[in-house]
Amino acid sequence: MKLKLDLHDIYNKGSEIDKALYGIIQEAIRKKATQVEIIPGKGSGQLKKKVLRFLEQKEIKALYHRIDKDSKNHGRLFVYFQWK
């Protein structure tokens, strides 16, 4: 199962971005999703940096397996989960 989060609508609302990111991670855990696609958009790259900082937090990092940046589209990130 793959989940998708598009941050275009809330790009300038810091607390809502954190809530949306935390929510999609929790949904992925509940549904045992293998992949979450996060779309911060291309822009100046500030939103993508914020998303990466969120994902690098110790308590969040423990929840997923790895992160990939899309090589063809720098406005997209993939978060992968492994379930045993």
Side-chain angles (χ1 to χ4, degrees), residues 22-58:
Y22 187 74
I24 198 77
I25 297 292
Q26 292 303 315
E27 185 179 350
I29 291 168
R30 270 195 320 277
K31 294 182 177 179
K32 298 246 187 263
T34 55
Q35 176 184 331
V36 172
E37 178 183 350
I38 301 174
I39 304 171
K42 294 183 179 178
S44 67
Q46 295 304 309
L47 183 53
K48 183 175 179 180
K49 288 177 188 172
K50 180 172 178 49
V51 170
L52 288 170
R53 279 194 305 271
F54 176 86
L55 292 171
E56 290 296 323
Q57 293 176 59
K58 187 178 179 182

Side-chain angles (χ1 to χ4, degrees), residues 50-82:
K50 180 172 178 49
V51 170
L52 288 170
R53 279 194 305 271
F54 176 86
L55 292 171
E56 290 296 323
Q57 293 176 59
K58 187 178 179 182
E59 62 275 6
I60 301 298
K61 196 170 187 170
L63 301 174
Y64 64 85
H65 176 60
R66 67 186 171 96
I67 300 174
D68 268 347
K69 298 171 186 133
D70 191 343
S71 60
K72 295 182 178 91
N73 179 354
H74 67 272
R76 202 161 66 157
L77 298 168
F78 297 103
V79 181
Y80 295 96
F81 296 83
Q82 275 189 336

